[in-house]
Amino acid sequence: MSNPPFADLRERLKSDRAALAARFLEKPAASHYLTRHAALVDGLLGELSTRLALPATFCLAAVGGYGRGELFPGSDVDLLLLLPHEPTAKQQATLESWVQTCWDVGLEIGHSVRTVDACMQEAGQDITVETNLLEARFLWGDRSLFVEFSQRFRARFDAQHFFDGKLAEQLARHARFDDSAYKLEPNLKDSPGGLRDLHTIHWLAQACGIRGGWSGIARAGLLTAAEARRIAREERSLSALRIHLHLLARRREDRLAFDYQTELAARLGLASTAHKRAGERLMQGYYRAAKLIQRANDILIQ
């Protein structure tokens, strides 16, 4: 019995992801895992697009966290398919086949198919779309179309409007968690003091033309070098914890549920003491990090 089409890509993705996970568990370096996982998916998408003969006039771009070059084990692969015009019936059929094949090989994609004009219109109406496009990164296809998109996106970008939208979005997100970082089962990504608060700082810095991550923010005079290093360290720690959580749950799971806390503590080398269980030590460390992140977020946004 012959193998199904693209079985080789499915097996490669499965084995390379397993190897990445094994290396991470042996030596938990979050940035190494996130960038290597994104690079692995970059290569597979390029090969898949070529083998399926996606029109060369199309452009495939990574957006969102994947556009940043960070891909957590259970996160969606967020993609933008840029088209020079509305697709013909034949092109639409090719696109549908491409999407189905992505899922068949094990890539859980979140995708949008738009012309450059449609991107500009959607970005003006939806702050989430605008944020995703802010981090767009070329992957495959017509690079000139991506350049056109990038130039038009920058030309229409309004930093003050973006700032106001992100601040309103953050206030609403915090309210969903009762404005508290100290839930018993906090959400690593979305709770106050979670990774999303750090992402918001990065987005606002980018909107103001500040590049270079935390060291860039320090060079701009908004943090001391020591503060920047400490926040970067907490970001790496939270990212590593989120990777561990996804691998442990075998899916996307961002809530530090009781069921996972003891095993996560063990993976981080935290043992029980005479006065504290290992899970309690894990959560104490998390709350300290969340408090620092929340304070940094408040100060920098002001």
Side-chain angles (χ1 to χ4, degrees), residues 162-298:
F162 182 77
F163 179 90
D164 294 341
K166 295 313 289 182
L167 185 57
E169 185 182 71
Q170 178 170 285
L171 290 171
R173 174 170 53 80
H174 284 183
R176 292 204 308 273
F177 296 95
D178 304 318
D179 294 306
S180 173
Y182 302 104
K183 296 288 186 180
L184 294 177
E185 297 180 302
N187 187 299
L188 271 178
K189 182 182 174 186
D190 289 328
S191 286
L195 284 167
R196 186 57 88 209
D197 280 7
L198 294 175
H199 296 158
T200 299
I201 295 169
H202 286 307
W203 290 325
L204 296 180
Q206 208 174 329
C208 296
I210 299 171
R211 307 287 174 183
W214 297 112
S215 56
I217 291 172
R219 284 194 299 272
L222 299 173
L223 288 171
T224 66
E227 287 169 338
R229 284 194 298 271
R230 188 176 175 200
I231 295 171
R233 188 166 65 244
E234 297 296 358
E235 183 172 33
R236 289 193 297 271
S237 296
L238 274 192
S239 295
L241 185 56
R242 191 180 182 213
I243 294 169
H244 275 301
L245 184 54
H246 282 196
L247 293 176
L248 182 60
R250 298 178 182 273
R251 58 184 169 83
R252 177 173 178 160
E253 173 59 85
D254 293 328
R255 192 168 58 99
L256 276 174
F258 294 127
D259 291 348
Y260 299 122
Q261 290 177 14
T262 302
E263 175 61 27
L264 285 170
R267 290 189 176 200
L268 294 175
L270 298 172
S272 295
T273 66
H275 303 291
K276 284 192 180 72
R277 294 193 301 271
E280 289 177 302
R281 292 184 64 199
L282 170 80
M283 296 311 296
Q284 278 191 329
Y286 170 79
Y287 294 137
R288 280 195 298 270
K291 183 179 180 180
L292 172 71
I293 290 166
Q294 205 169 7
R295 189 163 63 235
N297 179 276
D298 289 342

Side-chain angles (χ1 to χ4, degrees), residues 8-276:
D8 60 321
L9 294 187
R10 183 177 182 85
E11 284 308 308
R12 191 199 310 172
L13 179 63
K14 186 177 177 181
S15 63
D16 286 358
R17 276 178 164 168
L20 269 177
R23 183 167 180 179
F24 175 80
L25 293 175
E26 184 183 317
K27 187 180 178 182
S31 59
H32 178 275
Y33 180 94
L34 296 174
T35 54
R36 291 295 176 88
H37 189 205
L40 164 63
V41 172
D42 287 357
L44 282 169
L45 283 168
E47 189 169 337
L48 191 151
S49 300
T50 300
R51 282 166 61 172
L52 267 175
L54 207 60
T57 54
F58 290 5
C59 169
L60 181 63
V63 293
Y66 178 41
R68 272 196 307 279
E70 296 180 354
L71 193 57
F72 285 87
S75 292
D76 286 349
V77 177
D78 290 327
L79 297 169
L80 168 66
L81 272 157
L82 270 176
L83 275 55
H85 50 70
E86 291 300 321
T88 63
K90 184 179 178 182
Q91 289 173 338
Q92 184 64 40
T94 303
L95 282 169
E96 288 170 5
S97 174
W98 182 89
V99 170
Q100 184 59 53
T101 304
C102 284
W103 282 90
D104 289 346
V105 302
L107 292 171
E108 296 187 359
I109 64 169
H111 72 286
S112 55
V113 180
R114 298 190 182 107
T115 62
V116 175
D117 284 343
C119 285
M120 299 307 112
Q121 186 176 350
E122 290 289 327
Q125 296 171 351
D126 189 326
I127 191 71
T128 302
V129 172
E130 186 171 38
T131 307
N132 275 344
L133 296 180
L134 182 67
E135 300 188 293
R137 176 170 60 88
F138 175 82
L139 288 178
W140 181 94
D142 186 350
R143 191 179 286 273
S144 65
L145 187 60
F146 184 78
V147 170
E148 180 193 343
F149 154 78
S150 298
Q151 289 172 342
R152 287 186 56 187
F153 182 82
R154 284 195 298 270
R156 58 149 295 284
F157 189 79
D158 182 332
Q160 184 64 54
H161 178 266
F162 182 77
F163 179 90
D164 294 341
K166 295 313 289 182
L167 185 57
E169 185 182 71
Q170 178 170 285
L171 290 171
R173 174 170 53 80
H174 284 183
R176 292 204 308 273
F177 296 95
D178 304 318
D179 294 306
S180 173
Y182 302 104
K183 296 288 186 180
L184 294 177
E185 297 180 302
N187 187 299
L188 271 178
K189 182 182 174 186
D190 289 328
S191 286
L195 284 167
R196 186 57 88 209
D197 280 7
L198 294 175
H199 296 158
T200 299
I201 295 169
H202 286 307
W203 290 325
L204 296 180
Q206 208 174 329
C208 296
I210 299 171
R211 307 287 174 183
W214 297 112
S215 56
I217 291 172
R219 284 194 299 272
L222 299 173
L223 288 171
T224 66
E227 287 169 338
R229 284 194 298 271
R230 188 176 175 200
I231 295 171
R233 188 166 65 244
E234 297 296 358
E235 183 172 33
R236 289 193 297 271
S237 296
L238 274 192
S239 295
L241 185 56
R242 191 180 182 213
I243 294 169
H244 275 301
L245 184 54
H246 282 196
L247 293 176
L248 182 60
R250 298 178 182 273
R251 58 184 169 83
R252 177 173 178 160
E253 173 59 85
D254 293 328
R255 192 168 58 99
L256 276 174
F258 294 127
D259 291 348
Y260 299 122
Q261 290 177 14
T262 302
E263 175 61 27
L264 285 170
R267 290 189 176 200
L268 294 175
L270 298 172
S272 295
T273 66
H275 303 291
K276 284 192 180 72

